[in-house]
Amino acid sequence: MKAAVCYELNTPLVIEDVDLAAPGEGEVTVRVAATAICHSDIHDMKGEMPGPVPFVGGHETAGYIEKPGPGVTSVKAGDPVVVSLLASCGECYYCLTGLPHLCLNKFAPPKEPRLHNKKGQSLAQGGSVGGFAEYVLVKESQVVKVPADMPLDRAALLSCGVITGFGGVVNRAQVRPNQSVVVMGAGGVGINAVQGANYVGAYPIIVVDVLDNKMKLAKDFGATHMVNAKRDDAADEIRKLTDGRGAEYVFVTVGSIAAIKQGMSFTAPRGTTVVIGLPPVGQELCFSPLELIPVEKNLIGGFMGATNLKIDIPKLISMYKTGRLKLDELITGRYPLERINEAVASTEKGEGLRNVIMFE
Amino acid sequence: MKAAICYETGKPLVIEDGVTVDPPGKGEVKIRVAVTAVCHSDLHFLSGEIPSPLPGLAGHETAGYVDEVGEGVTSLKPGDTVVIGTVTSGCGKCYYCTIGARHFCTERGAFMKPKHTNKQGQRLALMAGPVGGFVEYTTVPQELVTKIPADIPLDRASLLACGVTSGFGAVVNRARVKAMSSVVVVGTGGVGLNSIQGAAFSGAYPLIAVDVLDSKLEKARGFGATHVINLTKEEDPVQAVKDITSGRGADYVFVTVGKVEAIRQGFSMAGPMSMTVVVGLAQGNLESIPAIELIFTEKILTGCGGGSIRSSIDIPYLISLYQAGKLKLDELITGHYPLERINEAVESLKKGEAIRNIITFD
C-alpha cells in the first residue's frame, strides 16, 4: 500500500509503497477514505513535537473496517468508522470514571512496530494512527462506527479538530448560557471553539486573531465580535465588551506562549483560561502568581475536547445531520495522496481551515 | 453444601444440606463464602414485604475466596480474597459504563438467574440481590466481584458489599455533599450510620441524626452526628431541624428508613434549594407533596441505590480508608452467628437490637 513518509524534518513527504502488519488481538485494520491535515501534523513534520523519525503522519482519519483482529466486538468488516488518536484501555481509573481521553495507557505503543518500508525499516504511526496511508492499523478503542450515509471526509474532521475546539468549550470548560467567551485563534480548532460557544448560548463570543478574513469566517460560526490582536489594543477591546471585567472563559487555540499570556490578561476575575493549542516542546510559560491570586483566575488545559469518543462522535454526527453542527464549511481543499505536499504547504501558510487527503 | 433457604415468607429459614451450585459459566466466578452479613433489605424479602419467587436464597453482603473461575475471567484467580457486591462494576460497553456511571450498566438485569438447586431438585430464586450469600458456595457474574487485600478481616469487608456503601455513597457519590452544608440523616441503622459517617467525612455541619431510639442516636454521635432528634420525644421534629439550621431546613436529607411517611417527613425537613435523597427501600407510593412546594423552594427529591458506587474503585478505596483509621467498620458489627443459628441473627436485627449480624462459614 501507498503511504506518505516523513524521512527528514522540514522536507517534503515521500510517497512510497510500505507494508502494514495484520491486526492482532483487539486491533483493527481500516481502509482509509479520508485523512485531514491537522496543524499538529505540521508540528511533527517540523520537529516542534518530539517523536520518532521516520514516520507516517495523519490522525484525522475516517474509512472502512477492512479486517477486525481477534476479540474485536464493536465493529465488523465493512463498517464505516472514524479513527482517532485517542486509545483507551477501559480498565484504568479514568476509563472507569468516564474520562477515557485521560486513559493512563492511551499512548502505550504497540508491542511491535506495525509499519515498515520496503527496506524493512520501521515507520512510526503519527498520532498512533498514521493516516497518510491507504490503510491504518489501530486499537479497537480508537475507532467509532458511523452511519453509512455520513460523508467520510467530514466524519474525519470529528476525530480531532472539531472535538478539540467544540469539546474544549462544551465538555472541558462546560461553559453555560450568557457567559462571556474569548477564542484566540480562528483556525480549525478555534473556529470549532466558537461553534461550541455559540451552541451553548455563550454571549458575547469574541474571536481574536491577526487575520481579518479568518475572523469573518468565525462570524459565520457564531462569533459576535472580532478583535484584531495586531491592530487593536486587544485587552482593552475585550474589557469594553465584557462590562470591564474580561471574559469568563478564554480559549487559547494558538500554540504560542505569548498567546497564553495574553489570554490570561483577557480573563476576568474567577474566570478561566483554557490552554488548548500546543506550543512547541521545550518552551515554558512564565508569569507572576500575583496574576492569579488576587483575582482567583483559573488556568487549565484542555485535551482533545475532553471527548468520550463512543458517546460524543455519534452525537456530533446527528447534530451535523440535523443542521446543528457545521462541518462542510471547514473543508478548504481536497487532495489525492500524490499531492499531499501541496496540501501541507497550504495548511502551513494558514490559507484554509482543513485540507483533506482523499483516498477514494 | 449447606444453605439457609426461605420456603415460606414470614417463617424461619430452613437450614438444609445437599444444596448444589452451578459451576461458573462464561464470565462467572464460584466463591467459597467466608461471611455474609444480614442486611435490613434481606428482612424486607424474607418477611414477604417485597415479593419474590420461592423457594429462595437471600444474603448479599458477602465476602470470601474465589474457588473457581469460568471461561474468559482474567482479573481473578482461585484463592483471591473478594467482596461480592450488589452493585455491578459494569460491562464496560453500554452507554452508562462508557460515561462512568457503571452502577447503571444496562446488563445488570441479567444477574438474577438462580444458581442453586436443593436436594429435591428445586431451583432457588435469588432474594434481596444477585448474590445468594446464605450458603457455603455461590456462583456470580465477575462484575459483582471485587478483589480486596488479603489482610482485611472478611467480616468487615462484607459490610462494603451493601450497607456501608449504600449509606456512605449516597452522601459522597450521589449527593456530593459540600463541606459546611447541613445534613439530616433519617434512620440510624446500618445504612443511616454510614450516611452519617459519609457526611462527617465530607465536612458537613450541622449533622443531624433522626431516629426513635436513644441508644441508636447515641451510637450515631459516635459516627459523627453533631445533633440528634428522637421522633418519639420531639413534638415538632421539622421545627427542631429548622431550629438547628438557622430556620431554613437542611441542605441535604438522607432518608434511610424504608417508609414513605419517613420520606415525606424528611422532605419537610429540607430547606430551599436542598436535596432529599431516598435511600431506604420504601414500598408504596409517595402522595402528599404539593407541586407548588417544588416550584417555590427548588427542592430536589431524588433516590440512590447501592450508593451509586463504582465498585472496582470505591470498595478498595473504602478499605484503604478503614486501614488508615478513617472509616469505622468494627463498630458496625453486633454479633457473629454460624449458619445454623441464622434465625437468631435475623430476629435480633428485626428487633432493632443489632446494626449488623454476621453469618460465618469458616
Side-chain angles (χ1 to χ4, degrees), chain A residues 30 44 51 78 92 106 110 114 120 123 143 147 151 163 166 170 190 219 226 231 270 272-273 311 329 335 338 349 351:
Chain A
V30 177
D44 290 340
C92 72
K106 62 179 181 279
R114 294 156 164 166
L123 307 171
V143 302
I163 57 175
F166 194 93
V170 177
K219 279 204 143 179
M226 306 186 295
R231 261 204 322 269
R270 271 289 171 108
T272 301
T273 312
I311 306 291
E329 298 80 351
Y335 298 77
E338 289 68 28
K349 272 186 242 156
E351 285 174 356

Side-chain angles (χ1 to χ4, degrees), chain B residues 37 47 68 129 160 198-199 203 244 249 252 261 295 304 309 322 327 336 343 356:
Chain B
S47 68
E68 196 185 335
L160 298 173
I244 302 168
Y252 299 91
E261 297 77 16
I295 297 167
C304 178
I309 62 160
Y322 169 72
L327 183 77
H336 293 80
N343 288 308
R356 276 296 185 269

